[in-house]
Amino acid sequence: MTKSSVISGFYKLPPKERLAIIKDFAGLTDEEVGFLENTGSLPMDVADHMVENVIGVIPEPLGIGVNFQINGKDYLIPMATEEPSVIAAASYAAKMVRDGGGFHTSSTAPVMIGQIQVVSVAHAGYARTQVLDSKDEILKKANEQDPVLNSFGGGAKDLDARVIETSLGEMLIVHLYVDCRDAMGANAVNTMAEAVSPMIERITGGHVYLRIISNLAVKRMAKAWCTVPKESLGGEAVVDGVVYASAFAAADPYRAATHNKGAMNGIIAVVLATGNDHRAIEAGGHAFAAFNGAYTTFSKWTKNKNGDLEGEIELPMAVGLIGGAVKTHPIARIAMKILGVKSANEFAEVLAAVGLAQNLAALRALSSEGIQRGHMSLHARNIAITAGAKGELVDLVAERMVKERKVRVDRAKEVLDELAKKQ
Ligand code: MEV
């Protein structure tokens, strides 16, 4: 009999009953159900209130990036990732950067853009002028929605309107600029955009469809830069390698995507650990990288006159200290405490520094020994676990596979059998 994914009232059931249905549907074993039920430090009832149709949690390893010095202050960086080498690489890069005085950072005010799409206006250019002329009235209405944000100095500060050409003709796109202070701000911005839309329809005589935040958060940028002494990096030839790698990525979107992914390895690990919206950061970063028409990098490496390496990164960074899972997820709260940032701006700047560190580590390895040696020895442990190794056998099996340069599950099983016979 074919199975149906239509489960009436699934959302109303408690997680345990949902899990029983899934067990039946997918033929899960008791052990597998046990894993799902064992939610550890994210209790099932908290998870059940965070999202819908919950049946368990999926834990990720949480590690700490060490050696980071940013604007003269030391930070320990909580990083959640499933990828081996990321945390070790970030820590290694932060140590090299430390030798050159650490990271320096800056950021803009935490301003997000709310978009309001107006269609069916008689004359888009004229409607634009009408919106701009009504700016005070629109901003007042927007700010009435969030007195708390206003009391912290945030709120809708300005607006703009753009006429764009689309496949369905001209549209007027109104941009609300909202200072979100220490929140990521999606809720505040979306609420404001929805609230002012009837007014904008009245002013323009048009019809509003979409009212939503833009993840291309170009008004909320974070920047980090650093100098790495050539001796710390491994010599001037390595400096040259990183500079060549950077030029390659800047000129080639195929490489730029991977270059930027490397930086995101670090940024997203911290964003995940702290319960922030990592999709917003990915979307914003990549859209920014294509802002001038061709997809390129958001970081750059050059050689200075002493032969040392200089790097900088700049990208949108819409993160918050409040709202979303940041306060509800118990581990995210602890991660924030470890990180010790006092404002969303400080947090955004730390993320930029972590991205730069991660990017540096990847380019240094790629342009010298390659990443596979370091990567494989960590990856081998995963393969050993997949083959069934436990406890100290994990390292024994992994080491043997790396030595033999045969990091494969079938080989891991053979080694495991051999070791078991010896015991
Ligand atoms: C792997 O997760 C990330 C790298 O591919 C980044 C890069 O190529 O710059 C190593």
Side-chain angles (χ1 to χ4, degrees):
M1 210 176 74
T2 54
K3 297 173 184 173
S4 172
S5 64
V6 181
I7 309 170
S8 170
F10 190 70
Y11 72 99
K12 288 189 210 151
L13 299 174
K16 210 172 171 56
E17 285 177 38
R18 287 186 203 130
L19 192 46
I21 294 172
I22 301 305
K23 180 182 186 207
D24 192 40
F25 186 97
L28 300 183
T29 64
D30 287 342
E31 191 190 21
E32 286 163 339
V33 169
F35 279 132
L36 286 167
E37 279 177 331
N38 180 5
T39 65
S41 40
L42 179 56
M44 191 73 98
D45 64 321
V46 177
D48 195 30
H49 285 104
M50 287 170 72
V51 298
E52 308 73 42
N53 295 355
V54 166
I55 61 159
V57 302
I58 175 161
E60 289 255 31
L62 175 67
I64 296 289
V66 295
N67 302 324
F68 276 82
Q69 188 180 57
I70 305 170
N71 302 322
K73 178 176 164 189
D74 273 50
Y75 292 85
L76 290 175
I77 313 287
M79 303 175 81
T81 181
E82 88 301 339
E83 184 170 332
S85 333
V86 165
I87 301 168
S91 304
Y92 179 58
K95 190 155 187 290
M96 292 187 287
V97 172
R98 202 182 177 94
D99 293 342
F103 296 92
H104 307 278
T105 62
S106 67
S107 54
T108 65
V111 173
M112 297 300 290
I113 302 169
Q115 292 197 294
I116 299 146
Q117 177 201 25
V118 195
V119 303
S120 307
V121 282
H123 189 290
Y126 181 59
R128 174 177 182 274
T129 319
Q130 288 175 305
V131 167
L132 296 179
D133 287 347
S134 312
K135 180 161 127 177
D136 291 348
E137 190 192 351
I138 298 170
L139 293 181
K140 182 166 173 286
K141 179 79 185 166
N143 281 319
E144 280 166 15
Q145 312 309 310
D146 205 329
V148 177
L149 186 57
N150 283 292
S151 71
F152 284 102
K157 300 291 180 191
D158 202 356
L159 64 72
D160 199 359
R162 302 156 52 228
V163 177
I164 61 165
E165 284 297 337
T166 78
S167 58
L168 297 177
E170 280 188 339
M171 289 179 194
L172 178 70
I173 309 298
V174 181
H175 280 188
L176 265 187
Y177 299 129
V178 184
D179 184 324
C180 297
R181 297 284 90 198
D182 282 337
M184 185 275 186
N187 278 330
V189 172
N190 295 341
T191 304
M192 288 181 185
E194 289 187 9
V196 300
S197 290
M199 185 182 269
I200 288 176
E201 285 185 331
R202 181 172 51 71
I203 293 166
T204 60
H207 180 75
V208 168
Y209 278 109
L210 271 58
R211 299 141 293 167
I212 187 75
I213 199 164
S214 169
N215 289 121
L216 179 50
V218 288
K219 299 265 176 200
R220 193 174 194 171
M221 301 290 289
K223 193 170 174 175
W225 62 96
C226 65
T227 302
V228 191
K230 54 180 178 296
E231 298 77 21
S232 306
L233 200 68
E236 204 155 338
V238 188
V239 173
D240 289 339
V242 173
V243 172
Y244 267 105
S246 178
F248 170 20
D252 177 23
Y254 291 94
R255 174 58 206 153
T258 323
H259 175 107
N260 290 344
K261 189 272 185 184
M264 283 295 179
N265 273 345
I267 295 171
I268 296 302
V270 188
V271 173
L272 255 183
T274 54
N276 267 269
D277 181 347
H278 50 96
R279 286 86 54 213
I281 301 300
E282 291 270 9
H286 294 295
F288 176 69
F291 199 52
N292 291 326
Y295 184 85
T296 184
T297 58
F298 37 66
S299 69
K300 183 168 107 190
W301 297 93
T302 51
K303 182 160 86 166
N304 69 16
K305 59 180 180 340
N306 301 325
D308 297 329
L309 184 69
E310 291 191 347
E312 65 175 62
I313 188 168
E314 185 175 25
L315 71 170
M317 203 59 86
V319 286
L321 304 187
I322 51 174
V326 185
K327 291 280 186 216
T328 46
H329 195 304
I331 302 296
R333 281 205 304 270
I334 298 169
M336 271 300 185
K337 196 168 174 183
I338 295 170
L339 194 57
V341 292
K342 299 283 179 286
S343 68
N345 274 78
E346 185 185 354
F347 184 23
E349 292 177 24
V350 167
L351 287 167
V354 174
L356 191 59
Q358 204 73 56
N359 183 222
L360 168 63
L363 299 193
R364 193 207 62 85
L366 286 168
S367 58
S368 49
E369 75 211 18
I371 59 162
Q372 281 312 82
R373 198 170 57 85
H375 208 75
M376 280 323 247
S377 56
L378 290 164
H379 177 60
R381 285 158 61 183
N382 275 339
I383 298 292
I385 293 169
T386 309
K390 291 203 168 72
E392 60 188 20
L393 286 177
V394 175
D395 281 337
L396 288 176
V397 174
E399 275 161 26
R400 175 86 77 83
M401 288 191 296
V402 170
K403 210 162 153 195
E404 296 172 353
R405 294 178 180 266
K406 281 187 197 158
V407 183
R408 300 190 317 253
V409 177
D410 59 326
R411 182 59 192 144
K413 283 191 176 143
E414 284 168 12
V415 177
L416 208 50
D417 285 347
E418 268 175 44
L419 292 171
K421 277 184 204 142
K422 279 191 197 152
Q423 279 180 348

